[in-house]
Amino acid sequence: MANTEAALKEATTIEGAIGAALVDYSSGMALGTVGGGKDMDLTVAAAGNTDVVRAKVRTMEMLGLKDEIEDILITLGGQYHLIRLLKGRGNNGLFLYLALDKQRANLAMARHQLKKIENELEV
């Protein structure tokens, strides 16, 4: 089992990774961040992506969908932003956020690796 810091460091080894965060979407707070930089404030990204997750959860409730969100993909001109909601072991209300350089990333592999990190994460 990996702790938050180890899991986020592993996420930044994913090809094309710019930065990663573990976020509590009930509060919008980043519980941990790795990477980012002057052009990518991960605490701002954590808060903003919390709104995305809340909106999708609310929409699913209004539609009466009895399903779970695996991940949410936001595609920008030069980046992918991947949001993976954590399930099980008391992880409800948390998501992993990964920003990727679109030119260097393999989206299918990134999703696969993020799922593996989720399975190993102990919060």
Side-chain angles (χ1 to χ4, degrees):
M1 295 289 166
N3 66 17
T4 300
E5 184 179 349
L8 292 175
K9 283 183 180 176
E10 186 176 348
T12 59
T13 67
I14 295 171
E15 187 68 31
I18 298 168
L22 177 65
V23 184
D24 176 347
Y25 69 81
S26 60
S27 68
M29 297 288 293
L31 304 178
T33 63
V34 174
K38 65 179 178 67
D39 296 330
M40 170 71 64
D41 184 333
L42 291 171
T43 56
V44 172
N49 285 303
T50 293
D51 292 337
V52 172
V53 171
R54 288 178 184 162
K56 188 58 189 174
V57 168
R58 200 169 42 250
T59 300
M60 289 177 63
E61 288 171 357
M62 290 186 316
L63 292 171
L65 297 176
K66 305 293 185 217
D67 210 342
E68 293 181 337
I69 300 168
E70 283 186 29
D71 55 41
I72 299 169
L73 171 65
I74 300 169
T75 305
L76 305 177
Q79 297 177 356
Y80 293 123
H81 291 211
L82 192 54
I83 300 166
R84 177 145 191 107
L85 277 71
L86 303 186
K87 299 173 188 66
R89 296 187 317 274
N91 292 335
N92 289 338
L94 301 177
F95 67 85
L96 282 167
Y97 167 70
L98 179 65
L100 299 159
D101 179 313
K102 199 173 176 182
Q103 296 300 315
R104 298 184 304 123
N106 177 325
L107 184 56
M109 281 303 296
R111 290 183 70 222
H112 175 74
Q113 290 172 289
L114 208 54
K115 182 177 181 176
K116 179 180 172 280
I117 292 167
E118 172 195 4
N119 291 333
E120 296 172 354
L121 178 63
E122 186 68 40
V123 180

